[in-house]
Amino acid sequence: MTLFRIVRSGAPLTLGEWVAAAGQARNLRLHAESSVANGYQGEAIIVRQIRGDLDLLQPNSLWRRLRGKPRIWVDAFDFDQGTGEARFKLKRKRFNPKSKQALTVAAVHLATVLGAQVTDRDGRPVFTPPGSAPAAPPPAPHDTPQTH
């Protein structure tokens, strides 16, 4: 699995922007609180939602459709309010923005709506939406004009 991030240079993503962008996609939702049963006592244990994390509705495979199985929601994006970025993992090592894979399509949608970039784990841009400038590195100290 390869880690990718959705980041915006200049101003970090806010929770409100993130939730609004996710709301524009029919196959994304805020991560639902899940519960598990304590096998020893049989009581339900609620795992609290981490605000901003998103689930993705996976398309059904032919086999699941033939068996009449419903589509399933899977954990997709982890949103970090502290850094204002989202993280997701792909099985592939490279990010192909033209891929039809549901997670890739969702990542491209979110980055485009938010004016953000998809970067690899080292911060190198792998997708920049059309019309938005890639993050420019700050000038090196020797490149700044000197005034005397």
Side-chain angles (χ1 to χ4, degrees):
M1 294 284 227
T2 305
L3 179 71
F4 293 94
R5 301 178 310 146
I6 298 175
V7 298
R8 183 171 58 201
S9 62
L13 301 172
T14 66
L15 179 61
E17 291 173 312
W18 177 251
V19 171
Q24 294 178 20
R26 291 184 302 184
N27 63 340
L28 291 174
R29 71 174 184 190
L30 284 174
H31 183 70
E33 290 184 353
S34 57
S35 65
V36 293
N38 179 345
Y40 183 69
Q41 297 177 332
E43 62 187 304
I45 300 170
I46 303 293
V47 180
R48 293 284 166 208
Q49 172 183 335
I50 300 172
R51 294 181 47 92
D53 292 353
L54 299 178
D55 293 335
L56 175 71
L57 185 60
Q58 287 284 60
N60 260 350
S61 66
L62 177 61
W63 181 247
R64 285 185 63 83
R65 281 189 301 230
L66 291 173
R67 294 181 58 204
K69 298 284 184 176
R71 294 168 63 184
I72 56 173
W73 291 95
V74 296
D75 295 342
F77 296 94
D78 297 323
F79 184 74
D80 185 345
Q81 293 182 54
T83 61
E85 68 181 34
R87 291 180 286 281
F88 64 99
K89 292 181 182 178
L90 291 177
K91 292 180 182 177
R92 288 181 246 117
K93 291 188 181 215
R94 292 184 179 228
F95 183 84
N96 178 4
K98 295 181 181 180
S99 170
K100 300 297 182 199
Q101 182 187 12
L103 184 57
T104 303
V105 171
V108 166
H109 164 76
L110 290 167
T112 302
V113 169
L114 295 165
Q117 294 181 319
V118 177
T119 65
D120 63 13
R121 66 181 179 144
D122 297 325
R124 292 184 299 256
V126 294
F127 172 73
T128 301
S132 63
H142 64 279
D143 291 342
T144 56
Q146 300 293 320
T147 55
H148 296 296

